[in-house]
Amino acid sequence: MAYKSDINKSILNKNNFRLLIDKVPTVEYYVRSCNIPGVQFSEAVQPAGLGVDAYFPGDKASFDTLEVTFIVDEDLENFAEMYNWIDSIVPLSDPKLFGTYTDTAVTKTNVTASIDNDLNQYSDITLVLNTNKNIPNRFIRFHDCFPISLGSIELESGADAEPATVSVSFRFTYYEIKTTS
C-alpha cells in the first residue's frame, strides 16, 4: 500500500458548524446541536452448506433521522416556523388550509389535486462544517427533508438563566458530502 503524504491531521471540532434550512431561516442562528445521520443497508443471506452462511450486500439503504436542537427565541419565531411547517404537511389548525400550503385544490369530485407541484412540503438542509480556522470545508446536503417530530419546550420557574431549547427530527431522501456549496 502506498503512503499518502497529504493526510489532513486536523480534527473535526463539534462546535464549528452552521445548519441552513431553506424553509425555516430563523432556526439557523439558534442551532445548538445536530447530527450526521448513520446509514444502514440490508444484507442477503445464502446458505453455503455445512452450517455456514454466505452474506452478500443487500439492495435497500435506510438512514437514521437528522436530529436538530435549537434555542427558542423569546418571540417563538423559530418554533412557530417549524410548527407551521408541520401544520402545512398535516393540517393541525384548519384542514382547509392544506391546499394553500401545498398548492393543491379540491376538485369538483372532492379529490385533492396538485396545482403546481407536490414538493412544497419539502426543503433541503445544508450542514456546513468549518475548518479550525472557521473556513467552510465540507457541505452536507440533505435532500427532500421534512420534519417528523417537534419536541416540547420545557419551562421551569426559579431555574437558572438557561435558554429554552427544542428538538426536531427530520426525514430525508439521502445526503451527499461536497467540498463546495
Side-chain angles (χ1 to χ4, degrees), residues 54 68 92 99 116 132 141 143 145 149-151 155:
V68 177
L92 305 169
D116 186 17
N132 294 326
R141 185 86 158 162
H143 295 276
C145 301
S149 72
L150 178 62
L155 304 174

Side-chain angles (χ1 to χ4, degrees), residues 49-120:
L50 297 172
V52 177
D53 290 333
Y55 295 91
F56 301 96
D59 59 353
K60 183 177 180 180
S62 64
F63 292 93
D64 295 337
T65 56
L66 172 62
E67 302 291 333
V68 177
T69 302
F70 61 91
I71 297 170
V72 180
D73 65 276
E74 68 180 8
D75 294 331
L76 297 177
E77 284 184 37
N78 51 13
F79 183 82
E81 276 186 343
M82 199 62 67
Y83 180 85
N84 291 338
W85 186 4
I86 291 172
D87 189 31
S88 73
I89 297 170
V90 180
L92 305 169
S93 57
D94 184 2
K96 294 175 186 170
L97 293 176
F98 183 71
T100 61
Y101 287 128
T102 58
D103 282 340
T104 56
V106 176
T107 64
K108 291 179 183 177
T109 58
N110 207 24
V111 174
T112 302
S114 175
I115 294 172
D116 186 17
N117 64 53
D118 290 329
L119 300 177
N120 293 330

Side-chain angles (χ1 to χ4, degrees), residues 147-159:
I148 59 170
S149 72
L150 178 62
S152 58
I153 299 173
E154 297 293 327
L155 304 174
E156 180 183 347
S157 69

